[in-house]
Amino acid sequence: MRQFTGIIIGGLLVLGMQSSMALELLSPDIADQTRMTKQQEYQGFGCDGENISPALKWKEVPPGTKSFALTVYDPDAPTGSGWWHWVVFNIPGDTRQLPQNAGKPELKLLPAQVVQSRTDFGTPGYGGPCPPKGHGVHRYRFTLYALDVEKLPHGEDAPAAQVGFFIHQHQLAESTITGLYSR
């Protein structure tokens, strides 16, 4: 549904259109602002979870979307710059979901052109929550971006900040689910 908005400039009414549709990220495995499970927790760095990425799906895709990118970021990590847990891009524009455990590149659950680049764990693919014990609740922001390009010019060795720069140059819309976790 579209709504008309207007502003008066120099005595003239200038009309614009505003969409009430917005990209929406959903998951059957995690809910916004709720605790994530041991299934999603990282396996390593002192954590003993299953390191299974949640299933994700989305709707209300903006016109002109040619691809998607997904990042998972913990702004509460005690690093001074947060922690990147998953960076996925070149997801085809007609895709509307990622299956559970898609974050394990060796399982090949994603289309061939999809890139999972290096996280702060040092490897590509999903790295689940693993906050230091007693550090309190951390926020894990799963953010899906609709992009106006089919591909970003990076491979699996690209650092998250570099990929993020290109994502923000081409984003049409974004939607976030924030999972919570503590140990």
Side-chain angles (χ1 to χ4, degrees), residues 36 40 42 51-54 85-86 103-104 116 124-129 142:
M36 295 172 69
Q40 286 108 31
Y42 190 66
N51 201 47
I52 295 174
S53 59
H85 287 261
W86 200 14
K104 285 195 174 115
Q116 298 189 63
Y126 174 78
F142 289 74

Side-chain angles (χ1 to χ4, degrees), residues 1-172:
M1 176 192 305
R2 296 195 181 268
Q3 298 175 356
F4 287 99
T5 60
I7 184 170
I8 297 178
I9 301 175
L12 296 172
L13 177 63
V14 178
L15 293 175
M17 289 185 50
Q18 182 178 28
S19 175
S20 63
M21 294 172 53
L23 182 64
E24 185 177 5
L25 179 62
L26 307 159
S27 175
D29 299 330
I30 58 172
D32 193 42
Q33 301 298 322
T34 62
R35 183 173 171 79
M36 295 172 69
T37 69
K38 192 79 167 173
Q39 184 179 42
Q40 286 108 31
E41 183 184 273
Y42 190 66
Q43 190 171 69
F45 278 62
C47 291
D48 60 359
E50 296 178 50
N51 201 47
I52 295 174
S53 59
L56 299 167
K57 59 184 178 177
W58 51 92
K59 61 183 182 177
E60 307 299 342
V61 173
T65 299
K66 295 181 180 174
S67 70
F68 296 95
L70 175 77
T71 62
V72 179
Y73 176 71
D74 171 8
D76 304 310
T79 64
S81 61
W83 192 271
W84 293 99
H85 287 261
W86 200 14
V87 182
V88 187
F89 53 94
N90 298 346
I91 302 167
D94 60 354
T95 302
R96 296 295 180 268
Q97 63 184 359
L98 299 180
Q100 187 181 70
N101 220 9
K104 285 195 174 115
E106 65 273 16
L107 296 180
K108 300 185 185 303
L109 297 176
L110 299 173
Q113 71 269 30
V114 174
V115 176
Q116 298 189 63
S117 70
R118 188 167 32 105
T119 67
D120 286 339
F121 289 111
T123 57
Y126 174 78
C130 185
K133 284 185 179 179
H135 198 258
V137 176
H138 283 220
R139 296 166 290 162
Y140 297 87
R141 295 181 177 154
F142 289 74
T143 304
L144 179 74
Y145 300 90
L147 305 178
D148 65 1
V149 293
E150 287 183 19
K151 291 189 176 189
L152 297 180
H154 302 292
E156 68 177 26
D157 287 337
Q162 186 180 55
V163 174
F165 176 81
F166 280 84
I167 287 172
H168 291 292
Q169 298 302 308
H170 294 284
Q171 86 175 63
L172 298 169

